[in-house]
């Protein structure tokens, strides 16, 4: 085959792939037809582009929850039909999540309230003298729970290879050379960039450490295999996985979970409680996942996560990823045409990523820009430091000790402020939403806001 024919064939295949991705319909989500008022007059369909904070519920998830709701009953505690049905549903959901994550046969799936709760649970069961290693680039949910451990905070790497090398050096040099845990994100909630999880897991295990994957931003966009990545635990939230009903997951090795005191003490976690002759009580705790699930479980939240896992699996991650890459290209190419826009990145333009993009605009306060997108175009994005203060400060070139508040502006509209704008999207995002967003950015940069804005209770809002 000639070089020109080969190039033409490749170009045709690329075009066909792009067409295929563009032609795939987004998954149906709640709120897709909601309209919102504009300060300039009229209404417009709301463009929800803040998936990295909370994704809308899949219609499939909502329908499944609504179908189950009349049969809701207490879990593990009742002899009645609805209680038995709810218990079966709860435990089937545990099996569904284990399959979704490709867990090992002996792994436990513990249901929590969120990723934050999951990682705080893991922090509570660390063995004595366990050291924790975490990059400064992590979300606060991964950065902050380790209050009772010796923590080594690693500087932000600029390449995936540098991340692995940095971790290897830190683990090799640790004193004493005892139990250790590495906590790392799968995809950044600021830049969307994918981290070299499999390589970091290999480095951790080579140095006698374990690793927990914060998959909050990864699981909604890519398949996550505990066995393929060889991670020890995975944590994620339902509300980012199109199941916003107040549940999360910690899945992985059982030994540390079984050996520690229960995360919460109470009914459900206890297998047997008896009075002693001296007046006290003896407690025998469960060794299953129930050990850390005290209290009445959130069966609807758990079932919604299982429903989302099934829906994403049935839709096919190959299809979902291809369509999301199509949207990412639209946004990045559109923003690249606006000279005033600077996209934030650790690993560079060619790094693989999910649909999370943060940027700043020259001459604009990010909170002012985000407020104008909402009020004048009906587009919901996020502004601030995204609960990842050290990372955003590093990317913006600021001193790491400067104070800041999650999502709160630090200057009046029009003044330079230490914050950024984040646009994020996923399986439920139609092309029109990202096209409207890119057009709005161009228009705001070229023409300015059509309305005036003021700061009210820490937020930039339209002046009435």
């Amino acid at each position: 085959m000639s070089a020109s024919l080969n190039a033409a064939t490749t170009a045709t295949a690329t075009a066909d792939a792009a067409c295929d991705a563009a032609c795939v319909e987004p998954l149906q989500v709640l709120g897709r037809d909601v309209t919102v008022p504009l300060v300039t007059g009229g209404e417009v369909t709301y463009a929800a582009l803040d998936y990295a904070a909370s994704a809308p519920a899949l219609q499939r998830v909502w329908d499944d929850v609504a179908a189950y709701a009349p049969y809701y009953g207490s879990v593990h505690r009742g002899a009645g039909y609805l209680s038995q049905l709810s218990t079966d549903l709860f435990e089937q959901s545990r099996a569904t999540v284990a399959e979704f994550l490709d867990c090992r046969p002996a792994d436990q799936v513990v249901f929590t309230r969120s990723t934050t709760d999951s990682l705080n649970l893991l922090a509570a069961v660390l063995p004595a003298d366990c050291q924790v290693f975490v990059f400064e680039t992590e979300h606060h949910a991964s950065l902050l729970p380790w209050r009772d451990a010796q923590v080594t905070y690693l500087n932000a790497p600029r390449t995936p290879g540098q991340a692995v090398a940095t971790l290897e050096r830190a683990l090799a040099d640790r004193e004493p050379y005892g139990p250790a845990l590495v906590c790392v994100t799968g995809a950044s909630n600021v830049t969307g960039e994918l981290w070299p999880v499999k390589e970091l897991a290999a480095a951790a295990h080579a140095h006698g450490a374990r690793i927990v994957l914060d998959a909050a931003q990864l699981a909604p966009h890519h398949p996550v295999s505990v066995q393929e990545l060889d991670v020890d635990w995975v944590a994620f939230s339902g509300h980012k996985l199109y199941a916003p009903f107040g549940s999360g997951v910690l899945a992985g090795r059982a030994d540390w979970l079984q050996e520690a005191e229960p995360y919460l003490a109470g009914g459900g976690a206890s297998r047997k409680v008896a009075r002693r002759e001296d007046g006290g009580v003896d407690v025998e705790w469960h060794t299953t996942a129930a050990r850390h699930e005290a209290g009445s479980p959130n069966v609807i939240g758990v079932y919604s996560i299982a429903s989302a896992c099934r829906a994403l699996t049935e839709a096919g991650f190959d299809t979902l990823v291809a369509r999301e890459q199509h949207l990412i290209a639209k946004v990045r190419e559109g923003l690249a045409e606006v000279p005033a826009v600077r996209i934030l990145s650790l690993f560079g333009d060619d790094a693989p990523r999910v649909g999370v993009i943060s940027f700043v605009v020259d001459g604009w306060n990010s909170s002012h820009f985000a407020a104008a997108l909402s009020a004048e175009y009906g587009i919901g994005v996020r502004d601030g430091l995204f609960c990842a203060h050290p990372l955003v400060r590093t990317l913006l070139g600021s001193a790491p000790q400067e104070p800041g508040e999650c999502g709160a502006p630090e200057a009046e509209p029009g003044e330079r402020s230490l914050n950024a704008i984040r646009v994020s999207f996923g399986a439920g995002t139609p092309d029109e939403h990202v096209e409207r967003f890119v057009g709005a950015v161009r228009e705001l940069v070229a023409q300015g806001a059509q309305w005036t804005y003021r700061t009210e209770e820490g937020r930039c809002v339209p002046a009435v």
Side-chain angles (χ1 to χ4, degrees):
M1 182 182 290
S2 68
S4 58
L5 182 57
N6 188 40
T9 302
T10 301
T12 300
T14 302
D16 288 345
C19 178
D20 289 345
C23 293
V24 173
E25 289 295 316
L27 299 187
Q28 296 295 295
V29 295
L30 290 185
R32 58 188 178 274
D33 298 323
V34 168
T35 60
V36 295
L38 304 179
V39 292
T40 51
E43 292 188 342
V44 67
T45 303
Y46 184 66
L49 296 177
D50 193 16
Y51 276 46
S54 281
L58 285 174
Q59 184 69 53
R60 158 77 175 275
V61 171
W62 180 259
D63 291 344
D64 283 350
V65 167
Y68 161 66
Y71 300 92
Y72 171 80
S74 60
V75 174
H76 298 152
R77 288 167 173 78
Y81 179 81
L82 296 191
S83 292
Q84 293 182 45
L85 186 150
S86 295
T87 297
D88 288 345
L89 195 75
F90 186 79
E91 294 304 334
Q92 288 169 11
S93 296
R94 200 188 303 276
T96 297
V97 171
E99 182 179 3
F100 179 75
L101 295 174
D102 189 27
C103 289
R104 297 165 290 256
D107 284 344
Q108 288 188 349
V109 174
V110 181
F111 289 116
T112 65
R113 294 174 296 175
S114 61
T115 306
T116 301
D117 196 34
S118 296
L119 293 173
N120 274 272
L121 163 57
L122 189 58
V125 305
L126 295 179
D129 302 321
C130 183
Q131 298 180 58
V132 175
F133 294 81
V134 56
F135 286 92
E136 67 170 353
T137 48
E138 294 294 319
H139 186 281
H140 294 171
S142 300
L143 199 68
L144 303 180
W146 323 104
R147 290 172 290 182
D148 296 327
Q150 177 184 331
V151 184
T152 299
Y153 296 102
L154 307 174
N155 291 336
R158 287 298 180 169
T159 67
Q162 187 181 39
V164 176
T166 298
L167 179 63
E168 286 184 324
R169 284 194 302 271
L171 290 173
D173 294 342
R174 73 183 186 272
E175 291 289 346
Y177 197 88
L181 177 71
V182 177
C183 182
V184 67
T185 187
S188 170
N189 76 303
V190 176
T191 68
E193 292 162 319
L194 300 181
W195 276 64
V197 176
K198 188 172 184 177
E199 293 79 5
L200 290 168
H205 294 152
H207 292 280
R210 294 191 179 188
I211 185 168
V212 56
L213 169 63
D214 174 356
Q217 300 295 343
L218 184 63
H221 303 274
H222 279 265
V224 175
S225 169
V226 168
Q227 297 192 66
E228 182 180 340
L229 295 173
D230 197 22
V231 293
D232 299 285
W233 293 277
V234 171
F236 71 87
S237 293
H239 72 98
K240 298 186 194 299
L241 196 79
Y242 310 100
F245 293 90
S247 282
V249 168
L250 177 67
R253 301 199 183 278
D255 54 351
W256 286 9
L257 295 168
Q258 292 173 337
E259 293 162 7
E261 290 294 304
Y263 182 46
L264 296 174
S270 55
R271 184 175 177 275
K272 180 180 178 182
V273 181
R275 288 294 302 272
R276 296 195 305 264
E277 290 185 3
D278 65 4
V281 295
D282 287 324
V283 183
E284 180 183 335
W285 303 106
H286 279 294
T287 57
T288 63
R291 185 183 188 89
H292 299 290
E293 294 176 345
S296 295
N298 179 5
V299 61
I300 286 180
V302 165
Y303 181 50
S304 71
I305 288 181
S307 173
C309 290
R310 287 192 297 269
L312 293 175
T313 300
E314 291 167 10
F317 270 108
D318 287 347
T319 300
L320 297 176
V321 169
R323 185 173 186 282
E324 186 171 308
Q325 292 305 309
H326 157 75
L327 296 178
I328 292 170
K330 273 196 171 191
V331 174
R332 288 180 62 84
E333 290 167 9
L335 293 180
E337 295 173 356
V338 184
V341 170
R342 177 167 71 92
I343 295 176
L344 305 183
S345 175
L346 269 177
F347 299 152
D349 291 342
D350 296 330
R353 65 191 71 238
V354 300
V356 179
I357 299 167
S358 295
F359 63 98
V360 291
V361 183
D362 290 345
W364 281 82
N365 171 286
S366 292
S367 293
H368 185 195
F369 200 90
L373 286 172
S374 175
E376 299 178 28
Y377 298 91
I379 298 169
V381 298
R382 198 170 187 86
D383 64 278
L385 301 176
F386 318 125
C387 292
H389 294 189
L391 171 56
V392 178
R393 294 181 185 285
T394 293
L395 295 174
L396 294 178
S398 69
Q401 69 273 15
E402 290 184 41
E405 221 178 297
C406 223
E410 299 172 359
E412 295 297 321
E415 297 179 1
R416 186 183 183 281
S417 176
L418 188 63
N419 54 11
I421 305 151
R422 184 182 71 190
V423 57
S424 54
F425 40 88
T429 305
D431 283 46
E432 188 275 330
H433 286 186
V434 299
E435 290 165 358
R436 192 197 320 169
F437 165 76
V438 171
V441 171
R442 289 197 188 107
E443 194 168 284
L444 282 172
V445 170
Q447 302 176 18
Q450 300 178 56
W451 208 258
T452 57
Y453 296 81
R454 60 187 172 83
T455 299
E456 181 180 291
E457 297 181 355
R459 297 298 307 166
C460 189
V461 297
V464 179

